[in-house]
Amino acid sequence: MVSTTSTSSRRTAISVLVALGLVGIAMVALGATGFAVKQVNGQPLAILEEVPGPDTGPTCAVDKRYVDEATSGMRPDVVEAWKALLAKAKAQNVTLCVNDGKRSRAQQQQEFDKAVQRFGSVEQAKKWALQPETSMHVKGIAVDIQPLNSATWVDKNGGALGWCRRYDNEKWHFEYDPAWIAGGCPALLPSATGN
């Protein structure tokens, strides 16, 4: 026979857990977690930002020094825009390789930590890599294109499809925004930190 006290304690514990779960769901829905929750094709941005991208890919067909990652993990509209860019490039006999695309916050933190080691300080690293909360790779809207002659082609032709180079010191980094199709590419920033 189970005692009334242990049954009551168990019910109380279950009720508390259910209540905490419901509070957590409500906080996420209301954006009270500290994340900017924005719906993107049915997924909150906070969830999309945790989706890891591939760590590597097959060798780039036109330059074996680079890989060609899949666009998995990127927003669906960005994947479609990428396919349109690939088709336009292929029609002009240009091969584009995604040397780096979607990253999770953890993957971006690793990239940033490597840059700190390489350049010797956080301030110098910020010229070449962003922290997770500001990276467009984490948001799933950026690609690093190689080889550089392919990136140059995208710089000249990608704006018509919403793909624009953002940083003067990164000739390979492109971001997608459908507003750029009609409005044109924004002015280049000197670096990822804007200076």
Side-chain angles (χ1 to χ4, degrees), residues 12 15-16 18 23 40 64 74-75 80 86 88 90 101-102 114 121 123 133 137-138 146 148 162 165 170 174 176 178:
T12 301
S15 296
V16 168
V18 169
V23 167
V40 178
K64 305 288 186 215
M74 298 175 98
R75 285 187 349 209
E80 290 306 310
L86 280 177
K88 184 175 182 177
K90 185 176 181 179
K102 174 69 172 90
K114 285 182 203 172
S121 74
E123 287 308 310
E133 58 275 5
H137 285 285
V138 172
Q146 291 292 350
L148 284 179
R165 184 161 66 102
E170 294 186 29
F174 294 84
Y176 173 74

Side-chain angles (χ1 to χ4, degrees), residues 86-135:
L86 280 177
K88 184 175 182 177
K90 185 176 181 179
Q92 296 182 20
N93 295 317
V94 175
T95 300
L96 308 179
C97 294
V98 177
N99 191 56
D100 217 347
K102 174 69 172 90
R103 299 179 195 141
S104 67
R105 288 185 187 126
Q107 288 171 313
Q108 185 65 31
Q109 187 64 53
Q110 289 174 347
E111 290 295 315
F112 186 74
D113 293 344
K114 285 182 203 172
V116 171
Q117 287 179 336
R118 181 176 178 197
F119 297 108
S121 74
V122 168
E123 287 308 310
Q124 288 300 313
K126 284 181 178 179
K127 293 180 181 177
W128 300 98
L130 291 174
Q131 291 168 306
E133 58 275 5
T134 55
S135 170

Side-chain angles (χ1 to χ4, degrees), residues 113-187:
D113 293 344
K114 285 182 203 172
V116 171
Q117 287 179 336
R118 181 176 178 197
F119 297 108
S121 74
V122 168
E123 287 308 310
Q124 288 300 313
K126 284 181 178 179
K127 293 180 181 177
W128 300 98
L130 291 174
Q131 291 168 306
E133 58 275 5
T134 55
S135 170
M136 296 302 126
H137 285 285
V138 172
K139 294 185 186 323
I141 64 169
V143 292
D144 291 343
I145 296 173
Q146 291 292 350
L148 284 179
N149 62 344
S150 297
T152 299
W153 180 89
V154 175
D155 198 18
K156 291 178 184 172
N157 299 280
L161 297 173
W163 288 97
C164 296
R165 184 161 66 102
R166 296 300 298 122
Y167 311 125
D168 191 45
N169 71 333
E170 294 186 29
K171 299 188 182 325
W172 53 86
H173 179 90
F174 294 84
E175 296 173 12
Y176 173 74
D177 188 326
W180 296 336
I181 296 169
C185 291

